[in-house]
Every structure is written in C-alpha cells, then in structure tokens.
Amino acid sequence: DAGITQSPRHKVTETGTPVTLRCHQTENHRYMYWYRQDPGHGLRLIHYSYGVKDTDKGEVSDGYSVSRSKTEDFLLTLESATSSQTSVYFCAISDSDSTEAFFGQGTRLTVV
Amino acid sequence: DAKTTQPNSMESNEEEPVHLPCNHSTISGTDYIHWYRQLPSQGPEYVIHGLTSNVNNRMASLAIAEDRKSSTLILHRATLRDAAVYYCILLALNFGNEKLTFGTGTRLTIIP
C-alpha cells in the first residue's frame, strides 16, 4: 500500500471553528490533492498542489485554504467551518500524469 | 476540461465478463484515459489507464476506440469484490498542472 495517511480519520466540530486536516505521504510524490465526497456526488476537487508552495484551486475551493510547506505534508484548512462542509474528505498523491494516483482512507468531518 | 459520460448503474452476474462504457467525445490528443474504482467506505483505487492503444493489467483491460471518443473497461470475470463505483477520468497533460477530475461514475452491482 502507498504511504499516505490522513488525520484525523473522524472529527466533529462546531460551526464557526477552524479545522485543519492533514495529509502525510512517505512516497515523495510531487502532486497532492484534496477532494470532498458527498452523497450522490462523485469526488469533487477542492485544491491541489504540484510542488512545495505550489497550489491551485479546484472546482469547490470556496471556504477552504491549503498549504504545502514540505513535500510530504498537504494541509487543508476550513477557516470557519459551516454545516455545508460536512463531508468525507480524501487526500490523493501522484507522481506524474502517466502514473496512478493513490488515495487515503478518508476523513469524515461533521460540522454541527 | 474534457468531460466523460458513463451510465449511472450496471448489473452483472458473478463470474461473467463486464463491459463498462465511457464516452469522451471532446477528448484532446494529449488526454490520458484513466479508470478508478471506489469500493464501499474506501478511497478510490487505480484500475488502469491508457492513451491510444488497448491496455491490459492484472485487474482489467481497457479498450480504446480508434477515434478515442469512447473507451470500455473490461472486467474479464466479475467477482463480488468488484462491486464498486467505477470512474472514467480524462487527465490533461498540462505540465505542472495535472489534476484528476471525477464525474459521478457507474455503480456496478454483481449478482451472485
């Protein structure tokens, strides 16, 4: 299995509080992604990174920010959590466009 | 980004071959065709990918139309463990800016 770890795996938080999800990899892959998945939807891209300090927005980036200060860690921050951000969040890594991406096990976030 | 179209759901009998179609009529010449699947309560996992020629691996085969406007994922002998949502994804070669964009996929049900 690819070395990709998401933490925490489960979190319940209150509306308005900041939340940070961490994705850690041991594969030294260049690309890292954050997705969210809601019932009835496929995975939707929030933000992605193509190198240290190089990030870009995905299709549902509003309300989220990311940081990548080193190759192995990609952090997703909800500055002020809202109930609409209740979801399962997946991190993924890949080495290039021609190789497979590996996904973490997901983080279930509930905002109450 | 180029889009893909897949049937929402399909059923197949156990131990029979399964052909999962994907239409991508607006594919560009440098788009790779990737397939991922997501088992219940897990993150997606890579199945196969290709560019122009048909591809085989231990999990499946990928048949790509000559005009590249459609492709078919072939599971040669379905098992109950193959019940999952299958995603067909086009990955654009935009060097330094690759990203996986998921649609809603095909939910495959295997009938014992």
Side-chain angles (χ1 to χ4, degrees):
Chain A
D1 289 344
I4 177 170
T5 306
Q6 291 184 230
S7 59
R9 293 292 313 280
H10 301 271
K11 186 171 181 66
V12 179
T13 192
E14 293 185 349
T15 299
T17 60
V19 177
T20 295
L21 308 183
R22 181 187 185 222
C23 179
H24 178 77
Q25 62 149 326
T26 57
E27 305 295 326
N28 201 35
H29 282 355
R30 178 182 177 187
Y31 302 99
M32 299 187 75
Y33 311 82
W34 275 109
Y35 293 87
R36 62 177 288 174
Q37 186 170 36
D38 304 296
H41 292 273
L43 280 78
R44 293 182 290 175
L45 182 65
I46 305 172
H47 281 280
Y48 62 102
S49 169
Y50 44 95
V52 173
K53 292 187 168 57
D54 290 325
T55 64
D56 206 346
K57 297 179 179 180
E59 59 182 311
V60 291
S61 60
D62 287 348
Y64 301 94
S65 62
V66 290
S67 66
R68 191 168 178 201
S69 59
K70 47 187 178 178
T71 299
E72 56 265 36
D73 288 326
F74 192 34
L75 304 181
L76 177 71
T77 298
L78 291 65
E79 301 291 347
S80 178
T82 67
S83 58
S84 65
Q85 293 176 311
T86 292
S87 189
V88 179
Y89 292 84
F90 288 100
C91 175
I93 62 174
S94 70
D95 197 33
S96 76
D97 51 80
S98 60
T99 59
E100 62 192 279
F102 299 94
F103 284 78
Q105 288 297 98
T107 295
R108 184 172 297 275
L109 176 68
T110 302
V111 183
V112 298
Chain B
D1 289 340
K3 300 299 183 185
T4 62
T5 304
Q6 300 177 251
N8 288 332
S9 62
M10 291 183 63
E11 289 186 348
S12 181
N13 293 320
E14 191 177 11
E15 299 186 3
E16 291 186 356
V18 182
H19 291 238
L20 295 163
C22 181
N23 288 320
H24 28 79
S25 59
T26 60
I27 191 171
S28 70
T30 54
D31 284 340
Y32 281 93
I33 302 162
H34 285 242
W35 283 83
Y36 284 76
R37 72 179 186 181
Q38 188 174 19
L39 302 173
S41 301
Q42 294 188 25
E45 64 175 347
Y46 168 84
V47 178
I48 200 166
H49 78 281
L51 185 61
T52 56
S53 303
N54 294 344
V55 184
N56 300 293
N57 66 20
R58 63 176 179 80
M59 289 182 69
S61 295
L62 177 60
I64 301 172
E66 193 169 340
D67 63 5
R68 300 207 330 125
K69 293 185 177 182
S70 65
S71 61
T72 302
L73 179 69
I74 302 166
L75 307 179
H76 294 286
R77 191 167 171 271
T79 69
L80 295 178
R81 194 190 174 280
D82 292 320
V85 178
Y86 287 78
Y87 297 97
C88 170
I89 300 164
L90 300 184
L91 190 59
L93 287 183
N94 185 9
F95 296 103
N97 200 25
E98 285 78 13
K99 53 186 178 181
L100 283 172
T101 301
F102 287 77
T104 53
T106 297
R107 182 174 299 278
L108 176 64
T109 300
I110 304 299
I111 303 168

